[in-house]
Amino acid sequence: EKNGTDSFEENIVQIHYDKASLYGYHKKFKLAKDSYIKVIQEYKKLNTKSNIYTTKIAKTQNKIAWIYITQPKFKNYIKAKEIIASSIKLAYNIKKENNIEFQEILSQSYSYLAHLELLNNHIEKALNFYQKSLNIKRNFETDMRYSTLLVAKNSYLKAFRNFELMLKTYPKEEQQARILMEYGEFYTVIDESVAKERLKKSLEFYIRLTKINNKRYEEIDSLRAILKK
């Protein structure tokens, strides 16, 4: 159970975490990485009495791993793998106490490993990790990457099944628009008329979203150009 001091210290660490996230948003990745490292150090101090901060440590570690994977200046795939392995180990430590957080960390870790393998051009390994991630917990961005990779690999039947599943899983209009656009572009190699139906529906979603959000979507021009062909 937390006392007042622990709560105060946790709030301070949360401020550091928010600052790290802000650095990342503004593409100041060195400051973000260093701040995340400090956050982990502080959470470890708070974690001496119990494991209540283990989840936050694992998630913050994965933030650092993502920087090592995606930012060329800090590219270090070996270090990223080590960090993700540590996060997975921490996830299993909390499995009995908090299965939901366990699944979230594990799914995210596998998704990051998939992205890492993809960057190394290990397509089968990437697909395997994406599938592992999605089997644990569905995530829109992970699903999109998985489907796109299936198309690139010419695994059309699997891609078709996954796009259909995504349309049922992600109901938000912006998600539906993105799915239908990717689905339609892929389907042109199978049935052009069906593909155009999906692309038209995607365009309708984006036009409606433009009015709702008062935002111009670049996809509108792309879709109109595709449909003119």
Side-chain angles (χ1 to χ4, degrees):
E1 196 173 313
K2 297 182 199 175
N3 58 36
T5 304
D6 286 344
S7 296
F8 175 76
E9 288 177 350
E10 184 180 356
N11 287 338
I12 295 298
V13 180
Q14 185 61 48
I15 290 168
H16 287 304
Y17 182 90
D18 292 342
K19 188 163 60 171
S21 299
L22 196 60
Y23 284 140
Y25 178 79
H26 290 291
K27 303 187 186 305
K28 297 179 179 178
F29 295 110
K30 185 182 186 309
L31 290 171
K33 177 174 69 69
D34 292 345
S35 296
Y36 283 133
I37 289 170
K38 183 173 177 56
V39 166
I40 290 167
Q41 290 168 345
E42 294 303 316
Y43 274 136
K44 283 181 177 177
K45 290 177 188 175
L46 292 171
N47 221 32
T48 53
K49 297 173 186 175
S50 68
N51 286 326
I52 60 173
Y53 299 103
T54 299
T55 298
K56 296 190 179 206
I57 292 169
K59 288 182 177 180
T60 307
Q61 285 186 169
N62 276 353
K63 291 278 187 182
I64 297 170
W66 190 242
I67 291 173
Y68 284 134
I69 292 168
T70 60
Q71 300 309 313
K73 191 174 178 181
F74 301 98
K75 178 180 170 181
N76 191 330
Y77 294 165
I78 293 172
K79 189 70 177 172
K81 276 188 175 183
E82 289 173 357
I83 292 170
I84 293 169
S86 172
S87 295
I88 290 171
K89 186 177 179 181
L90 289 173
Y92 276 99
N93 288 343
I94 60 153
K95 183 179 180 182
K96 289 182 181 178
E97 299 167 22
N98 195 331
N99 191 53
I100 292 172
E101 292 285 9
F102 161 73
Q103 290 180 344
E104 186 176 330
I105 294 165
L106 202 62
S107 178
Q108 183 189 64
S109 297
Y110 285 141
S111 177
Y112 285 6
L113 286 172
H115 195 75
L116 191 155
E117 295 296 351
L118 184 57
L119 290 173
N120 280 325
N121 206 30
H122 298 155
I123 306 302
E124 288 299 332
K125 284 185 179 180
L127 285 168
N128 184 47
F129 277 125
Y130 278 136
Q131 187 65 70
K132 277 187 173 184
S133 174
L134 292 167
N135 284 344
I136 296 164
K137 185 178 180 182
R138 308 301 296 192
N139 173 277
F140 179 73
E141 294 299 336
T142 302
D143 245 329
M144 286 297 291
R145 293 188 190 109
Y146 178 60
S147 295
T148 302
L149 191 55
L150 287 171
V151 172
K153 194 176 174 290
N154 296 331
S155 297
Y156 294 149
L157 182 57
K158 285 184 179 180
F160 166 77
R161 287 172 178 165
N162 206 61
F163 277 125
E164 286 293 324
L165 179 60
M166 287 179 72
L167 287 171
K168 295 172 185 174
T169 306
Y170 306 106
K172 292 180 181 177
E173 286 200 353
E174 195 156 349
Q175 293 172 332
Q176 291 280 305
R178 281 184 63 189
I179 295 164
L180 286 163
M181 185 173 178
E182 292 284 340
Y183 196 178
E185 286 186 280
F186 139 66
Y187 218 78
T188 54
V189 299
I190 299 170
D191 188 321
E192 198 168 332
S193 62
V194 174
K196 281 193 173 182
E197 286 176 18
R198 293 187 176 119
L199 292 168
K200 283 177 184 175
K201 192 162 185 180
S202 175
L203 180 59
E204 288 169 10
F205 273 124
Y206 277 120
I207 290 170
R208 187 157 61 248
L209 284 163
T210 297
K211 293 174 184 175
I212 294 168
N213 299 328
N214 194 26
K215 170 187 171 184
R216 174 70 180 174
Y217 288 85
E218 292 177 3
E219 289 86 351
I220 290 174
D221 293 330
S222 300
L223 284 161
R224 281 176 172 160
I226 293 167
L227 287 166
K228 278 182 182 178
K229 291 179 183 178

